[in-house]
Amino acid sequence: MGGNEVLGRQPTRESYDVTAALNLVSETAAAIKAFDEQAAQALMRAHEVADAVKEELARAELRAERAETMLRLAEAQIEQMLAVAEQAAKELEILRSQLAAKTAEFAASERRGDDAEAAIEQIVAVIRAHLPDKLDVPSE
């Protein structure tokens, strides 16, 4: 009986295989758990990055909308300025035309003034020429 008792107390090859299999399953489960935790953390970081990108995109869209609004406003102001400039150009052309007309009138007035002055000088010359004759006439 002594030999059987020793056999009963010694681990069998099957118990080593079971223990090894249990250890392998336990290590695999631990590895899977660690992988799941890493995947969960990576997923959480990916969500955080996605949220940050969404926020940045929303801010960029808002800036783009504001820029488009400012562009439309600037275009409208340019249109108004062009209309004002066109009107000013028309008014300037009218003023140039009026200035040319007034310049022509002034030149005509100067010619008439020069003609009148020449006529007065002729009259004065005639009067001076005839004045001595009148002075020689005896008074009655």
Side-chain angles (χ1 to χ4, degrees):
M1 221 169 136
N4 281 340
E5 287 178 19
V6 170
L7 283 178
R9 291 185 188 164
Q10 289 181 345
T12 63
R13 167 103 178 143
E14 289 178 359
S15 74
Y16 281 126
D17 289 345
V18 169
T19 302
L22 287 175
N23 284 339
L24 183 60
V25 168
S26 177
E27 289 173 7
T28 303
I32 290 172
K33 183 177 179 182
F35 178 76
D36 282 346
E37 288 174 0
Q38 288 176 352
Q41 289 176 356
L43 184 60
M44 186 173 67
R45 285 192 301 268
H47 281 296
E48 290 172 355
V49 169
D51 289 343
V53 168
K54 284 180 188 176
E55 290 176 13
E56 187 63 31
L57 180 60
R59 286 192 294 271
E61 287 176 349
L62 184 59
R63 286 192 306 271
E65 288 173 4
R66 279 186 271 184
E68 288 174 0
T69 299
M70 295 303 291
L71 178 61
R72 283 192 296 274
L73 179 62
E75 288 172 344
Q77 289 174 341
I78 288 171
E79 289 289 327
Q80 290 174 347
M81 288 177 177
L82 288 174
V84 167
E86 187 177 323
Q87 183 62 33
K90 287 178 183 177
E91 291 175 6
L92 182 60
E93 189 57 37
I94 291 169
L95 289 174
R96 283 181 181 156
S97 176
Q98 290 175 350
L99 178 61
K102 293 295 180 185
T103 302
E105 286 178 24
F106 179 70
S109 294
E110 272 191 327
R111 282 191 301 276
R112 285 193 304 273
D114 290 344
D115 292 346
E117 191 175 326
I120 291 171
E121 287 176 11
Q122 286 177 354
I123 292 170
V124 168
V126 168
I127 291 174
R128 284 190 181 147
H130 292 341
L131 188 59
D133 293 338
K134 297 276 186 183
L135 293 177
D136 291 338
V137 176
S139 34
E140 293 184 39

